């Protein structure tokens, strides 16, 4: 089958396949749903022209983002603090004029915009998943329940005027039609407006072989080079970047209208590192495929080792990214008795594809396993601090990606 790049329409060829995959956040509420479960083949590719890392087959947006979306960003206190700090930094950098207006796509449960609503800054979230949008409104965050695109941008300008700031954290890899988003940003932003994008960085994923960031919602994993190619077509460019270690390594991109702001030294250094990592070269992903296979085999040998000793193994954190690990590695209810998760919407369901039961943290307390695969490894510090008693009693984490090991 032939595929074309979603950004520049050039022919693209997948460099590997993670095989038959369910929708990452499509937790099943009953066994009756097993027989109609949706699967697709998860195949990543790098566009040889615009250098965009993307997956070539994806479910329809409505299948992923709807009125029972499973991810509530505010489940993490660490991420709540992270986005509160980001909001204060952006106010100082870009919102010093009178009557500023800030917009955010993927505003989810208001984790970021609540920091603007609190000081009565004009704001608007654009969030297509109705349940999380409702949670945002409950916090006093103005939220439009819609998918962002050109028409939504025009509607917002007509009703609210142009924006000083357009924020998209952990969202720009969720939207198939990036050209429509970029065109929408060009319509929505004031002439001196700034777009802030932050999401898992291709450099970290490749360097650490954190392949679990690849799943249906994450139809792109961005690099600076690819983002500049995608937004350059709409008169926008990256002028500054900031790297952080959240979600296994994220890049925060500051974009403005071309030629409007000087490029920062941090941008030059990050671009040089992209060249050194070979993010734009096909051979990098030939090696990436080999490392994914080695990672899979290592994880299964660790889990099988515990099972052969008659030990009990569970999962911790029914993350979206765990769907890739579980279904790529072939992890079944025979390997993991259950997966605990603090999100009520995920509890008492079955994990996508594997149908491993998802249970509440209380179940973990009442039935402590010998080891737990930490699917929410990106929250290690926050979680390890919560489970001190279990750890003192000998509980071990099995780290599923990056350095696959028992800690
Ligand atoms: O891009 C996305 C990121 C931002 O969030 C979305 N596509 C979906 C989602 O991805 P994820 O599910 O991999 O994100 P997290 O933040 O790694 O998910 C953590 C999971 O672990 C949540 O379901 C909550 C759970 N959890 C827990 O059980 N105990 C989290 C913490 C901190 C805890 O203490
Ligand atoms: N911003 C939060 C949540 C990210 S999860 C954080 O950084 O943690 C991704 C969010 O993007 C989901 O809430 C999803 O519903 C939303 N989303 C998906 N497609 C979208 C689109 N076309 N426009 C706006 N939001 C979208």
């Amino acid at each position: 089958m032939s595929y074309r790049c979603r950004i520049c329409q050039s022919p693209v060829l997948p460099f590997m396949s993670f095989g038959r995959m369910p929708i990452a956040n499509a937790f099943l509420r009953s066994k009756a749903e097993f027989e109609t479960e949706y699967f697709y083949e998860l195949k990543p590719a790098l566009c040889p022209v615009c250098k965009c890392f993307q997956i070539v087959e994806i479910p329809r947006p409505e299948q992923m983002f709807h009125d029972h979306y499973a991810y509530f960003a505010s489940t993490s206190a660490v991420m709540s603090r992270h986005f509160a700090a980001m909001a204060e930094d952006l106010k100082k950098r870009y919102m010093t004029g009178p009557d500023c207006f800030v917009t955010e796509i993927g505003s989810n449960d208001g984790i970021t915009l609540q920091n603007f609503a609190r000081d009565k800054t004009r704001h608007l979230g654009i969030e297509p998943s109705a349940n999380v949008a409702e949670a945002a409104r409950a916090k006093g965050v103005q939220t439009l329940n819609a998918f962002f695109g050109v028409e939504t941008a025009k509607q917002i300008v007509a009703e609210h005027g142009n924006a000083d700031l357009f924020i998209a954290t952990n969202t720009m890899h969720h939207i198939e039609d990036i050209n429509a988003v970029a065109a929408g940003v060009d319509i929505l932003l004031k002439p001196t407006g700034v777009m802030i994008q932050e999401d898992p960085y291709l450099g970290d994923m490749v360097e650490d072989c954190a392949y679990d960031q690849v799943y249906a919602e994450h139809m792109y994993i961005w690099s600076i080079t690819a983002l500049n190619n995608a937004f350059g077509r709409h008169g926008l460019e990256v002028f500054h970047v900031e790297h952080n270690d959240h979600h296994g390594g994220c890049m925060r991109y500051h974009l403005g209208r071309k030629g409007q702001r000087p490029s920062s030294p941090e941008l030059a250094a990050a671009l040089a590192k992209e060249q050194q990592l070979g993010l734009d070269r096909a051979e990098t992903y030939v090696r990436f495929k080999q490392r994914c296979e080695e990672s899979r085999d290592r994880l299964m040998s660790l889990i099988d080792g515990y099972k052969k000793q008659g030990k009990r193994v569970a999962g911790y954190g029914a993350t979206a990214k765990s769907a890739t690990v579980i279904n790529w590695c072939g992890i079944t209810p025979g390997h993991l008795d259950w997966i605990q998760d603090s999100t009520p919407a995920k509890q008492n369901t079955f994990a996508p594809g594997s149908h491993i039961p998802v249970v509440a943290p209380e179940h973990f307390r009442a039935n402590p396993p010998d080891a737990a695969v930490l699917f929410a490894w990106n929250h290690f510090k926050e979680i390890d601090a919560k489970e001190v008693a279990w750890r003192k009693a000998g509980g071990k984490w099995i780290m599923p990606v990056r350095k696959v090991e028992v800690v």
Side-chain angles (χ1 to χ4, degrees):
M1 191 166 181
S2 63
Y3 301 101
R4 288 198 173 271
C5 171
R6 301 178 193 288
I7 307 294
C8 71
Q9 306 309 313
S10 305
V12 291
L13 195 62
F15 59 80
M16 72 178 286
S17 172
F18 286 104
R20 186 170 177 269
M21 199 61 63
I23 292 178
N25 267 323
F27 293 86
L28 306 165
R29 290 178 168 74
S30 73
K31 293 183 178 178
E33 294 179 22
F34 291 2
E35 58 196 50
T36 55
E37 189 172 14
Y38 176 87
F39 289 88
Y40 68 102
E41 190 175 355
L42 181 58
K43 295 184 279 188
L46 180 84
C47 176
V49 176
C50 72
K51 309 304 178 186
C52 180
F53 183 105
Q54 56 198 281
I55 58 179
V56 294
E57 287 180 24
I58 51 173
R60 293 188 323 282
E62 296 76 24
Q63 289 179 279
M64 299 186 281
F65 310 112
H66 35 57
D67 63 0
H68 53 284
Y69 186 61
Y71 183 70
F72 287 73
S74 301
T75 48
S76 165
V78 167
M79 294 314 292
S80 298
R81 288 194 293 273
H82 172 68
F83 289 128
M86 179 184 77
E88 295 318 310
D89 177 61
L90 295 179
K91 288 174 193 174
K92 292 190 187 86
R93 283 177 187 265
Y94 304 122
M95 299 185 74
T96 52
D99 187 31
C100 286
F101 177 40
V102 55
T103 54
E104 181 185 18
I105 61 172
S107 48
N108 197 263
D109 60 6
I111 186 170
T112 295
L113 285 180
Q114 63 186 344
N115 299 287
F116 294 91
R118 197 172 293 139
D119 57 20
K120 306 281 187 261
T121 302
R122 268 199 317 131
H123 65 276
L124 183 65
I126 300 102
E127 171 52 63
S129 298
N131 59 328
V132 290
E134 199 44 49
R137 291 191 188 105
K139 294 174 184 169
V141 173
Q142 303 300 314
T143 305
L144 180 62
N145 182 210
F147 287 94
F148 182 73
V150 169
E151 289 315 309
T152 315
K154 288 178 180 171
Q155 176 193 336
I156 294 168
V157 171
E159 291 173 21
H160 302 272
N162 292 101
D164 299 88
L165 205 52
F166 177 92
I167 300 172
T169 62
N170 298 299
T171 296
M172 285 298 288
H173 41 327
H174 291 71
I175 304 176
E176 181 179 6
D177 191 350
I178 291 297
N179 285 316
V181 172
V185 171
D186 187 23
I187 291 165
L188 182 52
L189 279 181
K190 288 179 180 174
T192 57
V194 168
M195 170 177 169
I196 297 296
Q197 173 179 327
E198 177 178 303
D199 41 45
Y201 178 50
L202 183 59
D204 292 294
M205 193 195 77
V206 167
E207 205 168 15
D208 299 337
C209 194
Y211 66 84
D212 59 346
Q213 287 292 7
V214 182
Y215 54 89
E217 291 183 22
H218 289 187
M219 54 198 84
Y220 306 104
I221 305 289
W222 290 106
S223 67
I224 307 166
T225 303
L227 200 62
N228 263 329
N229 288 334
F231 278 77
R233 308 150 68 90
H234 300 270
L236 293 155
E237 66 179 1
V238 178
F239 62 85
H240 181 48
V241 290
E242 299 167 87
H243 183 271
N244 66 62
D245 292 333
H246 292 288
H247 288 300
C250 279
M251 191 66 85
R252 181 177 298 169
Y253 310 88
H254 299 236
L255 295 94
R257 296 192 191 285
K258 274 187 175 176
Q260 193 171 79
R261 297 168 188 267
S263 295
S264 70
E266 292 83 352
L267 175 61
L271 281 169
K273 186 166 183 191
E274 286 199 352
Q275 287 304 313
Q276 178 225 330
L277 287 171
L279 297 187
D280 60 347
R281 295 200 300 273
E283 56 268 29
T284 303
Y285 302 93
V286 172
R287 178 69 189 117
F288 181 77
K289 175 177 183 288
Q290 291 165 348
R291 293 166 64 206
C292 288
E293 290 161 349
E294 291 159 6
S295 178
R296 172 195 62 198
D297 297 345
R298 168 91 177 124
L299 175 58
M300 293 316 288
S301 70
L302 291 178
I303 295 173
D304 290 341
Y306 268 93
K307 300 302 287 181
K308 282 180 186 137
Q309 296 173 51
K311 299 277 183 77
R312 290 194 306 130
V313 186
Y316 197 108
T319 58
K321 50 185 174 285
S322 68
T324 299
V325 178
I326 289 170
N327 291 280
W328 161 243
C329 297
I331 297 173
T332 69
H335 294 105
L336 305 185
D337 298 340
W338 37 263
I339 304 171
Q340 84 78 50
D341 195 285
S342 60
T343 312
K346 295 183 180 180
Q347 294 161 8
N348 305 312
T349 66
F350 298 91
S354 65
H355 307 157
I356 297 169
V358 180
V359 299
E362 293 69 30
H363 189 89
F364 180 90
R365 301 271 183 291
N367 307 274
D370 297 300
V373 181
L374 185 56
F375 293 118
W377 52 267
N378 46 311
H379 299 294
F380 178 80
K381 284 183 186 168
E382 184 174 359
I383 290 171
D384 201 43
K386 282 182 187 175
E387 305 304 344
V388 171
W390 175 68
R391 298 281 275 156
K392 281 183 177 166
K396 295 292 183 189
W397 296 119
I398 299 174
M399 305 304 283
V401 292
R402 305 206 301 181
K403 193 174 181 194
V404 181
E405 59 181 347
V406 176
V407 297

